[in-house]
Amino acid sequence: MAALEEEFTLSAVPLGAGPDGLLGVEQCDKTDQFLITDSGRTVILYKVSDQKPLGSWSVKQGQVITCPAVCNFQTGEYIVVHDSKVLRLWTNEDVNLDKVFKATLSAEVYRILSIPGTEPLVLFKEGAVRGLEALLAEPQQKIETVISDEEVIRWTKFFMVFRHPALIFITEKHGNYFAYVQKFNSSVVSKYTLLLGQEEKSVIQSFTASLCRKFISLMSLSSDGCIYETLIPIHPSDPEKNQHQRVVRSVLLKTVVSGNARNALSVLDQDHVAVLGPPLPASKECLSIWNTKFQTLQISKELPQGTSGQLWYYGEHLFMLHGKILTVIPYKCEMSSLAGALGKLKHGQDPGTQTMPHFVNWQTSQGLGSQNSEPSKRILRRRKIEASVQPEVPASQQLLSNIKKDSEKHIEIELRKFLAIKRTPDFHTVIGDIVIGLLGRCKTEPSFYPRSSLMQLIQMHVLSYSLCPGLMEVALEKTDVQMLQLCLQQFPDIPEAVTCACLKMFLSIGDDSLQETDVNMESVSDYSDAVQEEKMEEQTGILQNGFNPEEDNCDNCDKELSEKPQNTIEETTSCPVIPKRAALLNAVLHSAYSETFLLPHLKDIPAQHITLFLQYLYFLYLKCSENATMTLPGIHPPTLNQIMDWICLLLDANFTVVVMIPEAKSLLLSLYKFVKSQICICSELNKIEVSFRELQKLNQEKNNRELYSIEVLELF
Amino acid sequence: MLVDRQYMGVSKRKCIIWGVAFLSDGTVISVDSAGKVQFWDSATGTLVKTHLVANADVQSIAVSDQEDSFVVGTAEGTVFHFQLVSVTSSSSEKQWVRTKPFQHHTHDVRTVAHSPTALISGGTDTHLVIRPLMEKVEVKNYDAALRKITFPHRRLISCSKKRQLLLFQFSHHLDLWRLGSTVATGKHGDTLPLSKDADHLLHLKTKGPENIICSCVSPCGSWIAYSTASRFFLCRLNYEHDNISLHRVSKMPAFLRSAVQILFSEDSTKLFVASNQGSLHIIRLLEGSFKHLHTFQAQSGTVESMCLLAVSPDGNWLAASGTSAGVHVYNVKHLKLHCTVPAYNFPVTALAIAPKTNNLVIAHSDQQIFEYSIPDKQYTEWSRTIQKQGFHYLWLQRDTPITHISFHPKRPMHILLHDAYMFCIIDKSLPLPNDKTLLYNPLPPTNESDVIRRRTAHAFKISKRYKPLLFMDLLDERTLVAVERPLDDIIAQLPPPIKKKKFGT
């Protein structure tokens, strides 16, 4: 909702506003400060929030200011033109305009245009445009004529289009309007004829424009009271051919003001425009805010003393001449949103709840470049650089350069320092670049392997495989199973080939070398304990590690687990792999994959490893089926679905091999049994579902009130 | 651009394009019945990329304003989000990527919309689902939650208290029912045997394709008024014993073309019509004819129409509210604007004027309730108190708006209101609940002492007995009428969805 706040006036100094109102209100390089030029001889600098003037300058008697003063955002100087041709430049320190820098030009100036981030432009009455610097270097240079004889410039605006300045100005000739668009990277002028449509007789009273993607959206307020929109392309498709194009305008809002010579229009944002003028012929003048999207009047404020038909809008302030007094109305508008319409948008969100978005925003997290920094900031930064000489290097760049030469130990210390700094939105890409830097050095220097730094970076929970593609390959090369386990746990996007390579290594690595590694046992430790307890009840001997692959004394569990109490399958009773290997295999089970991509790689695993893995999976399945919830104990155990999927995958990929191996025969037999039991379970589940549904139906019928019924209720 | 018209290898069925989007960079996106989302280059007319997203039809597409993201809906009830994403973190080359699938519908997703912060989908299963885009939501709170809207947030049923009639509004017809009656009595919870069943009196079908926008039956039961997008209808009902005859009033004035809301005065002598042009017409009804009395023009240039009306039981005051501006109160006797209730940030969802006191009760979409005294032109003391103390947090977190407010003629301290999942009697004489008290306070057992009953009692008496509740009003001092619309009944009428196996796949 748009809201106009309490107005206030800037009237400390009486303005010599003539019948035509003010010459202009322009922004300054400092926020909240505005340059106000009256139509006589005076320029006043106001600080709006304090409602007081900071400075006032006048030209000599007999001279007349012909163009509103503007601020050069690059130097902080003020520029004004008097008597059409004389340019004056001054700063806050200057007192007398007569003594400041002066340049006399060879042609009459229509307006000086200045916006933050670029040098000011001078637009001459004949339509030529010059940069200020070039003009000051040679004030008497010849100025060409661009527009035709009786054409008069009516309005102009200066934009930054993708960091390139672009200028639009509107001219009028015998009731016909033309738009000129000039871009300064190509210095091509495109001319467009504004077709007025049916309302040929209407006169355009006011223009305003905004950037709308690849177009300039030019809005015009006509004397019939309607607002029209014209889209003018910023990049003409063929600048050579289409020197003279026609653009059509369309009605945006109907009859917002009544026909009067003194109406003004200003675009506020994407959806809102401010209109100054009487809504009905007889009524007083009003300032109204319209939403163009919903075609609604948002708010309106009556201005009984009349206005000069001029309206300026900067930031959050609307400026207008109310009677003889310059009035400022602060304006606020929230984005119209669905949440607002649904009544769920809270106002005044408490600052405590403001948190960093947890979700990765694809749009903002693109690289390290500071492409988004606004031009005004750039100037500030330049000033800072000038002051401190030493250019400021981001901490990440510093770290990256350190990585290229320092020792492992030193890098680790630097990294810890860097990670202690507050996170920026592009944190994960920075981390990715650091890892890539480290890996780059690993490749060139075989002895360099900053293991602890890499582990630390992986544990930041922001990395993914695609951010540091070489990491897992290096870890595979170094047979660093701990790092691989960590990667499998952390990365959401590991290619199937790499997952399979990890699996191969986990299955083939010797038990001795595994014992030395420090693997995270979270996913296995608990259920090995459970097994231990179970076994402790049965036998009194002390078990090392809670597990003993050689143990063959679990008839009891076997009876519970398998349907037939045949004590033939040794590997089903106890875990066929040591816990450390189990932990590693669990990491593989947890990783995401796509069957089609995984299957071909699984075929490469040797037959005895396949059997071992199948035995382990079967063991997990039996453990799963021990309890009613079909889950394994532990903090982050593999789920039943993961186990089943992997069994299917392994069998699919290596069926002929597995069938041929004698030691796999008993395993296959038990697998066959468990598939049978699975089918049984499924059919039972289906039966149960159907019965439940029937029960539900019966229940509903009982509860269901008749189509019409009368009940007795005691209400409170 | 020629689409592969073969339908999944079967040449007999032809592939149908259900939707296209044209982006400013010249890309054309098409969605078709073969489950494909295809990207075309309009300059060369070539196919750039195909995404197979479903085994069934892809029926709808909507592109965001920035053209960096779009959403498609499929007949399987799935909604897919596509985003324009950089190929690598540093390059400027961008590519359309299918990012997120959502399954919130059981049936076809017929239409989708893309707002700056959310994806909205509507389907055959009668749900409207608003799925916030989490990366665009700054604060993780209740607003960021998924919303599922099943029923329209407005009243579709009107009631004639005198003749005990209910008028049901459907998209293309109106149904008029006479309520049944009983002679038996019972205790709490009993269902009484009917001595007279409910009667289906009238089935009024509209001609043409236009939906009914609003309808109303007069309190006396002898008038029915309804409006479609382009025409306004007024009918007179005559009752002769058990026979009922309907007589359409012809020659409606030209200004009565389309109404947004219709309301009869309590004595059924006046008809108030809010037109879609923002004006409010008052019409006097005589036996079988009518006379235009007055028109209140829209306020200073707004085109916003009044979508809610309320008239005081004494017929002196008329309150009208649009979607954003404040509530206007008109004096019907002097035919002038009496006052405007200060504008509030959230739209009004229900309005009613209490008998005798002429207090205007206003419910807003953010679940706030205000009571405004029309004669005094200010908020009442009770309203100020509750605004000062604030509503219970559970009250504010309710998902559906209040759609109807009514009053008990003999108990001036009571306000009856309901949303789709509860009805509530606010007893203004009791203390207000704070966040620590139990809001949904079930009926305390009768065997508990009066002291405990009084201690736990607070102003909001809430019952969730009937849900989803479409309408509830007081017929007389001792009778409430409630209209439930069970979701199961709606689902039972839907065509079967695309079946998916659950177990043993």
Side-chain angles (χ1 to χ4, degrees):
Chain A
M1 286 296 293
L4 292 175
E5 288 175 15
E6 194 66 27
E7 62 180 62
F8 54 88
T9 57
L10 301 177
S11 56
V13 176
L15 291 160
D20 302 326
L22 294 173
L23 264 185
V25 176
E26 293 286 340
Q27 265 178 302
C28 252
D29 56 340
K30 293 179 192 71
T31 50
D32 202 32
Q33 294 189 8
F34 294 90
L35 277 171
I36 306 203
T37 315
D38 73 11
S39 53
R41 302 186 297 133
T42 319
V43 178
I44 302 171
L45 177 67
Y46 271 109
K47 187 168 171 65
V48 166
S49 58
D50 293 354
Q51 301 180 36
K52 71 174 189 196
L54 297 178
S56 164
W57 298 271
S58 296
V59 293
K60 254 194 320 195
Q61 194 92 40
Q63 295 174 336
V64 180
I65 296 180
T66 51
C67 161
V70 296
C71 176
N72 183 343
F73 289 91
Q74 292 186 316
T75 60
E77 288 172 320
Y78 307 126
I79 313 150
V80 76
V81 177
H82 63 81
D83 301 311
S84 296
K85 283 185 178 179
V86 187
L87 212 66
R88 294 278 187 181
L89 271 75
W90 79 101
T91 61
N92 265 332
E93 282 84 51
D94 295 311
V95 182
N96 195 340
L97 266 195
D98 216 25
K99 295 193 173 131
V100 300
F101 178 86
K102 169 183 171 182
T104 308
L105 308 174
S106 61
E108 294 195 339
V109 174
Y110 176 71
R111 193 135 301 177
I112 305 172
L113 301 152
S114 176
I115 51 172
T118 181
E119 92 172 289
L121 294 180
V122 180
L123 173 64
F124 291 92
K125 283 192 177 159
E126 305 297 319
V129 184
R130 290 284 186 278
L132 186 71
E133 300 294 330
L135 198 64
L136 290 180
E138 198 188 336
Q140 283 296 321
Q141 64 182 274
K142 191 162 163 31
I143 305 298
E144 74 276 13
T145 302
V146 174
I147 59 177
S148 63
D149 244 4
E150 283 169 65
E151 247 177 293
V152 186
I153 299 180
R154 288 284 173 225
W155 177 85
T156 177
K157 181 147 179 169
F158 188 27
F159 292 104
M160 288 297 276
V161 183
F162 306 123
R163 289 206 254 161
H164 294 297
L167 178 82
I168 177 169
F169 60 91
I170 308 286
T171 60
E172 188 201 341
K173 186 183 183 182
H174 308 310
N176 296 320
Y177 292 88
F178 306 96
Y180 293 80
V181 178
Q182 182 157 11
K183 279 191 303 169
F184 288 86
N185 51 346
S186 61
S187 55
V188 177
V189 186
S190 316
K191 183 179 177 183
Y192 300 91
T193 307
L194 301 186
L195 295 180
L196 299 184
Q198 298 162 335
E199 304 83 3
E200 292 293 350
K201 276 169 274 171
S202 66
V203 181
I204 298 179
Q205 295 168 335
S206 178
F207 289 97
T208 184
S210 61
L211 277 183
C212 171
R213 268 181 262 162
K214 290 168 189 164
F215 293 94
I216 295 173
S217 155
L218 177 73
M219 290 183 198
S220 50
L221 180 64
S222 276
S223 53
D224 58 356
C226 301
I227 297 176
Y228 297 87
E229 187 183 32
T230 312
L231 289 178
I232 297 173
I234 298 167
H235 309 287
S237 44
D238 190 351
E240 293 302 316
K241 222 187 260 173
N242 304 323
Q243 275 297 312
H244 200 98
Q245 287 179 323
R246 286 154 174 261
V247 280
V248 186
R249 61 181 194 167
S250 53
V251 181
L252 197 65
L253 277 173
K254 266 191 179 164
T255 333
V256 291
V257 288
S258 68
N260 182 308
R262 289 194 169 182
N263 298 330
L265 171 76
S266 179
V267 62
L268 303 174
D269 60 29
Q270 206 184 334
D271 298 330
H272 293 88
V273 291
V275 181
L276 196 65
L280 296 167
S283 63
K284 296 221 165 97
E285 284 186 55
C286 272
L287 171 70
S288 3
I289 310 287
W290 286 80
N291 185 320
T292 53
K293 201 170 176 184
F294 300 128
Q295 305 264 315
T296 47
L297 178 67
Q298 298 280 314
I299 196 163
S300 161
K301 191 179 193 105
E302 203 167 88
L303 300 164
Q305 292 168 44
T307 67
S308 60
Q310 287 168 300
L311 183 65
W312 294 271
Y313 173 65
Y314 295 106
E316 289 178 335
H317 298 294
L318 284 158
F319 295 82
M320 72 215 66
L321 213 55
H322 185 200
K324 289 266 170 199
I325 298 161
L326 182 66
T327 306
V328 182
I329 302 181
Y331 157 80
K332 252 189 203 156
C333 183
E334 281 155 30
M335 276 277 283
S336 24
S337 72
L338 185 74
L342 277 170
K344 284 289 174 188
L345 193 72
K346 296 242 163 55
H347 287 254
Q349 288 164 334
D350 28 332
T353 56
Q354 203 78 29
T355 47
M356 271 269 282
H358 175 70
F359 309 94
V360 176
N361 191 342
W362 292 91
Q363 263 67 40
T364 58
S365 60
Q366 285 161 7
L368 295 160
S370 53
Q371 299 148 349
N372 304 342
S373 65
E374 288 159 31
S376 60
K377 280 186 187 158
R378 212 169 60 221
I379 284 169
L380 277 179
R381 190 180 303 151
R382 194 164 66 192
R383 280 190 188 155
K384 204 193 267 172
I385 292 165
E386 279 162 11
S388 62
V389 186
Q390 176 85 45
E392 198 185 317
V393 180
S396 60
Q397 298 293 332
Q398 184 76 43
L399 188 61
L400 277 175
S401 64
N402 282 346
I403 282 167
K404 289 202 181 102
K405 47 190 193 289
D406 283 0
S407 68
E408 283 181 29
K409 199 85 209 147
H410 191 208
I411 289 175
E412 203 184 324
I413 294 163
E414 285 294 318
L415 184 66
R416 203 160 294 152
K417 267 191 224 157
F418 171 73
L419 294 179
I421 308 172
K422 205 172 151 245
R423 291 185 176 203
T424 49
D426 56 356
F427 184 70
H428 57 282
T429 49
V430 174
I431 294 286
D433 286 348
I434 292 171
V435 174
I436 287 172
L438 286 170
L439 293 175
R441 198 170 156 198
C442 282
K443 272 181 195 138
T444 51
E445 249 178 85
S447 60
F448 178 82
Y449 187 54
R451 190 158 180 278
S452 57
S453 303
L454 286 173
M455 296 285 260
Q456 205 177 346
L457 286 167
I458 297 169
Q459 276 162 334
M460 295 310 292
H461 298 281
V462 292
L463 279 180
S464 60
Y465 184 87
S466 27
L467 268 178
C468 47
L471 178 62
M472 287 187 77
E473 278 79 356
V474 171
L476 278 168
E477 223 169 85
K478 309 259 178 196
T479 45
D480 187 346
V481 287
Q482 193 194 349
M483 173 104 72
L484 288 174
Q485 187 197 24
L486 207 57
C487 291
L488 282 168
Q489 285 167 349
Q490 300 280 351
F491 294 176
D493 57 343
I494 300 171
E496 283 76 1
V498 178
T499 313
C500 209
C502 292
L503 176 65
K504 239 189 213 170
M505 170 174 291
F506 294 162
L507 288 168
S508 60
I509 192 167
D511 279 0
D512 305 337
S513 43
L514 258 186
Q515 290 296 0
E516 289 157 23
T517 56
D518 176 27
V519 173
N520 182 0
M521 301 290 290
E522 225 173 40
S523 61
V524 281
S525 59
D526 263 331
Y527 71 72
S528 61
D529 285 348
V531 172
Q532 188 183 9
E533 276 166 30
E534 228 169 78
K535 286 186 176 170
M536 289 288 261
E537 284 166 19
E538 288 174 43
Q539 58 183 78
T540 48
I542 296 163
L543 291 172
Q544 273 189 331
N545 239 347
F547 257 98
N548 195 337
E550 274 82 51
E551 274 305 326
D552 177 19
N553 195 6
C554 206
D555 299 340
N556 202 12
C557 351
D558 201 8
K559 269 177 211 157
E560 281 173 17
L561 300 176
S562 56
E563 287 173 39
K564 288 177 192 170
Q566 286 175 339
N567 191 8
T568 49
I569 311 155
E570 191 180 303
E571 52 274 5
T572 59
T573 57
S574 62
C575 187
V577 294
I578 61 164
K580 284 202 171 160
R581 200 190 299 278
L584 292 173
L585 292 176
N586 284 353
V588 174
L589 294 186
H590 277 304
S591 62
Y593 63 87
S594 167
E595 282 178 26
T596 23
F597 298 119
L598 191 61
L599 272 177
H601 299 292
L602 283 178
K603 288 192 170 117
D604 300 341
I605 300 175
Q608 72 267 29
H609 290 156
I610 290 284
T611 335
L612 181 67
F613 193 31
L614 272 177
Q615 278 166 356
Y616 173 63
L617 289 169
Y618 185 55
F619 163 78
L620 286 181
Y621 167 72
L622 289 180
K623 281 276 157 235
C624 261
S625 36
E626 270 174 15
N627 59 11
T629 53
M630 303 285 263
T631 52
L632 287 167
I635 297 170
H636 194 50
T639 64
L640 184 64
N641 276 340
Q642 284 169 341
I643 297 166
M644 301 285 273
D645 288 345
W646 271 95
I647 290 177
C648 296
L649 272 173
L650 281 175
L651 287 176
D652 272 356
N654 301 288
F655 189 72
T656 44
V657 180
V658 176
V659 166
M660 299 299 278
I661 304 172
E663 56 261 42
K665 203 168 185 181
S666 56
L667 182 70
L668 279 184
L669 207 66
S670 37
L671 280 174
Y672 169 71
K673 262 185 238 154
F674 102 55
V675 170
K676 219 166 134 187
S677 69
Q678 281 291 316
I679 292 171
C680 245
I681 289 177
C682 284
S683 73
E684 290 303 314
L685 275 175
N686 276 324
K687 278 184 210 163
I688 292 171
E689 197 203 0
V690 173
S691 333
F692 270 130
R693 208 180 292 148
E694 286 305 311
L695 273 177
Q696 213 174 356
K697 244 184 228 168
L698 282 175
N699 198 30
Q700 261 174 10
E701 271 164 28
K702 210 200 268 173
N703 263 359
N704 211 359
R705 298 180 192 101
E706 295 286 310
L707 195 61
Y708 180 76
S709 68
I710 297 178
E711 292 171 27
V712 181
L713 282 185
E714 189 187 321
L715 286 177
F716 317 113
Chain B
M1 283 173 262
L2 203 64
V3 182
D4 177 16
R5 296 204 69 184
Q6 252 190 352
Y7 183 86
M8 295 181 205
V10 186
S11 53
K12 273 184 192 165
R13 283 180 70 185
K14 290 284 174 68
C15 173
I16 303 160
I17 299 284
W18 285 121
V20 287
F22 189 46
L23 307 188
S24 58
D25 66 350
T27 306
V28 175
I29 309 169
S30 72
V31 296
D32 60 35
S33 62
K36 293 191 297 260
V37 176
Q38 295 183 311
F39 296 84
W40 307 80
D41 185 338
S42 67
T44 57
T46 48
L47 179 65
V48 180
K49 198 167 183 188
T50 298
H51 283 269
L52 188 66
V53 297
N55 289 322
D57 302 33
V58 183
Q59 293 183 317
S60 45
I61 178 168
V63 186
S64 75
D65 279 352
Q66 278 80 38
E67 297 190 352
D68 57 355
S69 133
F70 71 89
V71 55
V72 299
T74 75
E76 288 168 338
T78 325
V79 169
F80 290 99
H81 190 201
F82 285 76
Q83 279 172 291
L84 194 60
V85 172
S86 294
V87 178
T88 57
S89 65
S90 50
S91 80
S92 62
E93 191 194 339
K94 291 191 166 188
Q95 187 180 336
W96 283 104
V97 176
R98 195 178 95 186
T99 51
K100 290 170 233 141
F102 305 113
Q103 175 94 43
H104 299 297
H105 293 275
T106 54
H107 288 67
D108 302 20
V109 177
R110 281 290 170 83
T111 182
V112 285
H114 196 310
S115 89
T117 55
L119 307 180
I120 305 154
S121 54
T124 319
D125 59 356
T126 72
H127 291 300
L128 188 68
V129 174
I130 302 170
R131 171 67 167 71
L133 292 171
M134 297 316 267
E135 69 264 20
K136 303 273 168 65
V137 178
E138 289 191 350
V139 188
K140 235 178 139 183
N141 60 4
Y142 187 72
D143 301 344
L146 176 92
R147 311 281 311 272
K148 212 169 196 177
I149 299 165
T150 310
F151 296 105
H153 289 168
R154 54 181 301 178
R155 193 152 60 93
L156 301 175
I157 295 153
S158 53
C159 165
S160 155
K161 293 182 183 181
K162 205 174 140 203
R163 278 194 191 265
Q164 309 232 316
L165 303 174
L166 283 184
L167 182 72
F168 298 92
Q169 176 190 325
F170 295 86
S171 52
H172 287 106
H173 68 270
L174 297 171
D175 269 341
L176 188 68
W177 284 77
R178 178 162 34 216
L179 298 172
S181 59
T182 183
V183 286
T185 51
K187 61 179 196 304
H188 175 70
D190 285 356
T191 302
L192 303 178
L194 299 178
S195 61
K196 194 172 137 252
D197 223 337
D199 275 344
H200 188 191
L201 296 182
L202 197 68
H203 179 83
L204 198 62
K205 266 188 105 138
T206 54
K207 291 183 193 107
E210 285 183 345
N211 286 4
I212 299 175
I213 293 174
C214 57
S215 63
C216 194
V217 61
S218 68
C220 69
S222 17
W223 296 93
I224 288 178
Y226 66 98
S227 171
T228 67
S230 64
R231 285 189 75 182
F232 181 86
F233 299 90
L234 181 64
C235 305
R236 171 99 182 146
L237 289 166
N238 286 314
Y239 301 86
E240 282 157 17
H241 307 292
D242 277 349
N243 291 333
I244 175 165
S245 60
L246 181 83
H247 159 73
R248 224 188 93 193
V249 180
S250 51
K251 288 186 202 150
M252 295 310 294
F255 60 83
L256 272 182
R257 259 207 310 276
S258 172
V260 183
Q261 183 72 295
I262 308 168
L263 188 72
F264 288 94
S265 66
E266 202 81 348
D267 56 2
S268 304
T269 57
K270 288 197 184 82
L271 171 66
F272 306 101
V273 180
S275 82
N276 60 356
Q277 304 295 319
S279 47
L280 260 176
H281 308 290
I282 303 182
I283 291 149
R284 176 181 292 152
L285 299 169
L286 307 158
E287 281 290 320
S289 67
F290 63 89
K291 191 179 155 224
H292 177 234
L293 271 186
H294 187 71
T295 297
F296 292 117
Q297 287 303 339
Q299 296 292 308
S300 61
T302 43
V303 290
E304 185 191 63
S305 50
M306 296 297 164
C307 49
L308 283 168
L309 297 175
V311 67
S312 66
D314 60 13
N316 286 344
W317 309 106
L318 175 68
S321 149
T323 45
S324 63
V327 180
H328 304 292
V329 180
Y330 300 94
N331 188 324
V332 180
K333 251 186 203 159
H334 300 117
L335 298 175
K336 66 179 178 68
L337 182 69
H338 175 67
C339 61
T340 299
V341 182
Y344 186 64
N345 279 330
F346 295 95
V348 178
T349 63
L351 272 181
I353 301 174
K356 298 192 181 87
T357 56
N358 281 328
N359 286 341
L360 174 66
V361 179
I362 308 164
H364 289 275
S365 66
D366 64 340
Q367 310 296 2
Q368 297 287 337
I369 293 164
F370 294 96
E371 192 187 40
Y372 184 85
S373 167
I374 294 174
D376 300 344
K377 297 191 185 179
Q378 60 177 4
Y379 287 113
T380 63
E381 204 51 51
W382 180 79
S383 184
R384 284 169 211 271
T385 316
I386 195 156
Q387 285 305 320
K388 214 180 284 167
Q389 189 184 325
F391 284 83
H392 195 280
Y393 72 102
L394 286 176
W395 177 268
L396 296 177
Q397 280 181 7
R398 286 179 307 110
D399 210 31
T400 50
I402 300 285
T403 47
H404 185 58
I405 302 170
S406 52
F407 304 95
H408 194 284
K410 290 283 161 66
R411 294 185 187 158
M413 295 310 276
H414 285 189
I415 304 170
L416 273 80
L417 28 82
H418 77 85
D419 66 13
Y421 297 101
M422 61 106 213
F423 74 89
C424 173
I425 300 174
I426 299 179
D427 188 341
K428 291 188 276 177
S429 59
L430 288 176
L432 295 170
N434 58 33
D435 279 358
K436 284 187 198 97
T437 44
L438 204 62
L439 181 68
Y440 300 118
N441 203 353
L443 199 63
T446 36
N447 53 11
E448 279 199 66
S449 69
D450 264 10
V451 184
I452 294 173
R453 290 187 80 164
R454 210 169 296 142
R455 199 182 296 149
T456 54
H458 59 75
F460 289 74
K461 312 283 192 192
I462 292 170
S463 166
K464 295 186 170 185
R465 186 180 170 87
Y466 305 105
K467 55 190 173 182
L469 183 62
L470 284 202
F471 178 73
M472 176 167 252
D473 204 358
L474 211 62
L475 275 186
D476 56 53
E477 283 167 34
R478 306 189 54 80
T479 319
L480 270 174
V481 57
V483 178
E484 246 184 334
R485 182 85 174 107
L487 259 185
D488 291 342
D489 287 4
I490 299 175
I491 291 165
Q493 289 172 22
L494 295 178
I498 292 170
K499 181 79 182 161
K500 279 183 195 154
K501 266 193 185 171
K502 242 186 211 167
F503 298 114
T505 46

